[in-house]
Amino acid sequence: MMRCFIVAIGFFALSTATAQPQTPDKPVRLVLQITVDQLRGDLIERYSAGFGEDGFRRLLDEGVVFANAHHRHANTETVVGHTTLATGTDPAIHGMVANVWLDRTTGELNYNVQDEDYPLVGEGGGVDEATEIDPTQRLATTQGRSPRSIQTTTISDEIALSLGPESKVYGVSIKDRGAITLAGHAGTAYWFSKSGGSMVTSTFYMDDYPEWVNVWNAKGVPASYANTSWKLLSDKSEYLFGESDDQPWETDFPGFGRTFPHPYGPADGKYFTTLLTLTPAGDEIVLDFVKQLIASESIGADDVTDYLSISFSSTDYVGHFFGASSLESEDNLHRLDRTLAELFAYIDEAVGLDRTLVVLSADHGASEAPGYLNSLGIGGKYFNFDEIDRTDAIAAIKAEFGVAEELIDQFFQPYLYLNRETIEKHGLDYGEVSRKVAEELRKFPGIAYAVSSSDLRAGDVARTPITEAVLANFHEDRSGDIYVVFEPQWFVADFDGQSVTGSHGSPWAYDSHVPVIWMGPGIKPGKIVRRIETVDVAPTIAAYLGVKYPSGTRGSPLAEVID
């Protein structure tokens, strides 16, 4: 297994000395890092009327809330944000620049955590291309998974390095990329297999499942939702969007519908497990597994600090299908509030919240659906890259360079890829061609900025907030030919044939703004409104525990947490 020789990797040879946790009275037994996928920074307060006292409200009342926290990289996608929270550095350094990037050595798009050397443990459990609706997952060329694409250490790695083998490190999520990134290289990751209806992992972490995992999978928690529906938690009158259940811009997924109740269908239905992930059920399944993990692996049972990351994914799927301003998103957060309350109660009983450092954040924010914006008189539109190679502007460039073949290969968020075979065939200068295309793209309605990787590499760009964000995302080997930034409230809604209502991936505030909330021993409650960045999260955990910073750290510890 990879763990047997991981110490041979350069950045793992830095230190194995044991560090002493720096806590007020007793050692912290557990670091609980919670990431809520697509939880925009304003949504907790916006939907708080439906919260109880022990979930989000507990964090708001007992924790220090950083109300102006932002990702500073341009491509606000899932794997990028999760890895930034884990490493304390930018994608330019940790290497996870997008959910998918083009591998120039193979000519194929590469899914971020794919790894053919480490297949899934046991039989089955991989992506079923016939039913998988996540286009990034469908593009994976192998069922194997690992964190080896992450090019720096993570905070979980540093906890394992500093505190030794008695420190237990785990990451759990519906999404593989949500679990793997935060578990790091030294931890163990589990995620949900829609094709198998079970929690799985890869041989990077182990050769066989512990018996408790087999027992949990055999229990059939996902199947317990069969022939039931996602129903509203409260009466419609208690919701902000109670009178807006059926909005025409929402995605009408076959058999699921745009209005409550949303049926899951039978357990053997083609999209049964997919529908679970599109609803609060996905987060509830993760919680049930986490509780078994804590009990079976004795998480937080002694004075050696353990690390557990949980990435709740349902908010992201609900946002994509219904939009952030929808009855579904509102009810989902009410249910997530209950899930958090149940998690905190379990942690309090099993470990003690007085011995637990909790940090909650998000991998990115969320756009509003253009239809919702337009209904309020605000601009917003879906952008379509189809047939861009045949537009007059690109046709003019092709004529200038004497090219008859297609010059544009494809677009995959956030990069436009050129047809390099055509460029090489005609003996053209790659930098000149990509610069010309970028210049023309900037003239397209809906595109705010486009810049070639050649110009980024040369540093030939004006230093603005947008270019700084794009530079934070630029990686010499993994970035595409041209980085495209859409105008605010514009985005591509069609992903390989699957249309979505809302999205993310821009450097604009609605996508970069996320909550960062800390709760734990010695932390004084309060609300901080100065701007901080998500690269500050990992070094703050390190400083709080007294362990080494992750190897690529560019953020700074937050004084309100460590003082």
Side-chain angles (χ1 to χ4, degrees):
M1 290 186 297
M2 184 68 175
R3 188 164 302 150
C4 296
F5 56 86
I6 200 166
V7 291
I9 298 176
F11 58 68
F12 277 90
L14 295 175
S15 171
T16 54
T18 300
Q20 294 299 315
Q22 297 179 358
T23 55
D25 300 309
K26 301 176 182 178
V28 168
R29 289 181 169 178
L30 176 64
V31 174
L32 177 63
Q33 186 163 6
I34 301 169
T35 308
V36 181
D37 205 320
Q38 205 183 127
L39 183 62
R40 199 174 62 205
D42 65 303
L43 294 180
I44 295 176
E45 291 285 356
R46 186 185 195 190
Y47 294 139
S48 62
F51 295 165
E53 297 298 319
D54 301 317
F56 281 118
R57 201 173 299 282
R58 182 170 198 163
L59 289 169
L60 297 174
D61 291 344
E62 300 180 20
V64 57
V65 180
F66 289 88
N68 190 21
H70 293 264
H71 288 289
R72 68 185 192 185
H73 52 262
N75 187 27
T76 46
E77 288 191 308
T78 298
V79 80
V80 191
H82 276 81
T83 312
T84 297
L85 289 166
T87 62
T89 195
D90 302 312
I93 297 170
H94 63 60
M96 306 300 269
V97 297
N99 282 342
V100 173
W101 61 81
L102 186 68
D103 185 341
R104 291 293 184 187
T105 61
T106 65
E108 296 180 320
L109 289 169
N110 181 86
Y111 177 63
N112 50 85
V113 292
Q114 72 174 52
D115 191 334
E116 64 181 1
D117 292 338
Y118 296 97
L120 300 186
V121 174
E123 298 294 327
V127 173
D128 183 350
E129 293 188 10
T131 58
E132 181 55 63
I133 64 171
D134 182 339
T136 64
Q137 290 264 18
R138 271 205 311 274
L139 286 169
T141 58
T142 175
Q143 303 287 13
R145 299 288 186 267
S146 88
R148 292 200 297 176
S149 291
I150 304 173
Q151 296 181 325
T152 68
T153 58
T154 63
I155 185 58
S156 55
D157 291 335
E158 296 298 346
I159 289 172
L161 281 165
S162 296
L163 304 183
E166 292 184 5
S167 178
K168 297 177 281 289
V169 174
Y170 288 91
V172 183
S173 180
I174 284 290
K175 297 181 181 181
D176 49 13
R177 57 190 182 268
I180 290 171
T181 48
L182 285 154
H185 306 80
T188 299
Y190 291 103
W191 57 92
F192 183 64
S193 163
K194 285 177 275 192
S195 65
S198 58
M199 298 298 288
V200 299
T201 191
S202 82
T203 54
F204 178 88
Y205 305 102
M206 62 188 70
D207 293 325
D208 296 295
Y209 289 111
E211 183 57 24
W212 70 264
V213 175
N214 292 327
V215 169
W216 188 90
N217 281 331
K219 189 169 63 171
V221 173
S224 68
Y225 290 87
N227 299 312
T228 66
S229 301
W230 174 18
K231 300 177 181 178
L232 284 173
L233 194 59
S234 306
D235 186 81
K236 281 188 176 182
S237 62
E238 298 184 30
Y239 292 87
L240 181 64
F241 286 94
E243 299 302 318
S244 305
D245 191 13
D246 189 7
Q247 301 183 112
W249 48 82
E250 296 175 346
T251 303
D252 190 0
F253 193 79
F256 194 59
R258 292 197 315 224
T259 61
F260 283 99
H262 295 283
Y264 297 121
D268 60 356
K270 182 178 179 180
Y271 291 105
F272 171 68
T273 53
T274 295
L275 296 178
L276 296 180
T277 67
L278 302 183
T279 71
D283 291 343
E284 294 163 5
I285 290 167
V286 165
L287 174 61
D288 195 272
F289 183 83
V290 163
K291 288 161 68 175
Q292 189 61 60
L293 166 66
I294 292 170
S296 300
E297 298 292 350
S298 300
I299 303 299
D302 56 36
D303 286 344
V304 178
T305 305
D306 296 330
Y307 173 90
L308 173 62
S309 78
I310 307 171
S311 178
F312 290 115
S313 307
S314 295
T315 302
D316 181 68
Y317 288 121
V318 173
H320 278 302
F321 272 68
F322 298 99
S325 295
S326 66
L327 183 58
E328 282 80 4
S329 284
E330 187 173 3
D331 188 72
N332 171 70
L333 279 193
H334 291 182
R335 289 185 177 273
L336 177 58
D337 178 64
R338 288 193 170 192
T339 296
L340 289 174
E342 186 177 344
L343 171 65
F344 293 152
Y346 189 85
I347 293 288
D348 200 25
E349 181 178 349
V351 181
L353 281 174
D354 61 337
R355 306 290 294 276
T356 301
L357 173 65
V358 181
V359 56
L360 181 143
S361 190
D363 54 346
H364 51 73
S367 68
E368 293 289 353
Y372 178 64
L373 292 167
N374 298 163
S375 73
L376 299 174
I378 302 171
K381 196 172 181 179
Y382 299 121
F383 192 93
N384 189 353
F385 258 113
D386 291 348
E387 307 297 325
I388 190 170
D389 195 76
R390 295 174 180 82
T391 59
D392 291 343
I394 302 302
I397 294 176
K398 290 164 67 174
E400 178 182 346
F401 288 109
V403 172
E405 304 93 324
E406 289 195 351
L407 188 59
I408 307 299
D409 182 21
Q410 61 185 313
F411 173 81
F412 211 99
Q413 175 73 28
Y415 298 112
L416 189 74
Y417 294 94
L418 301 178
N419 190 326
R420 293 205 180 185
E421 288 186 5
T422 296
I423 293 172
E424 292 171 6
K425 174 184 174 181
H426 289 269
L428 303 175
D429 180 86
Y430 162 74
E432 184 181 1
V433 173
S434 60
R435 188 175 299 110
K436 282 274 189 182
V437 173
E439 289 173 357
E440 285 302 322
L441 286 175
R442 289 198 288 270
K443 301 174 186 177
F444 278 55
I447 293 181
Y449 184 66
V451 60
S452 70
S453 284
S454 294
D455 284 346
L456 291 172
R457 189 177 292 110
D460 189 17
V461 292
R463 305 305 285 242
T464 69
I466 296 300
T467 58
E468 292 290 347
V470 172
L471 283 165
N473 223 97
F474 176 68
H475 189 278
E476 183 76 21
D477 299 322
R478 295 179 179 176
S479 290
D481 295 317
I482 297 172
Y483 196 106
V484 178
V485 177
F486 297 106
E487 293 281 1
Q489 314 296 355
W490 287 63
F491 60 88
V492 174
D494 185 88
F495 292 91
D496 198 21
Q498 175 65 52
S499 180
V500 295
T501 299
S503 193
H504 51 81
S506 81
W508 307 115
Y510 53 80
D511 278 342
S512 69
H513 184 207
V514 295
V516 172
I517 306 174
W518 302 80
M519 180 177 74
I523 297 175
K524 296 178 181 179
K527 185 174 184 178
I528 310 300
V529 295
R530 79 171 189 280
R531 180 185 172 104
I532 68 161
E533 295 170 332
T534 53
V535 292
D536 299 331
V537 170
T540 300
I541 297 173
Y544 187 96
L545 297 179
V547 304
K548 185 159 54 62
Y549 291 4
S551 58
T553 296
R554 289 297 179 270
S556 301
L558 299 167
E560 292 85 353
V561 178
I562 63 172
D563 280 353

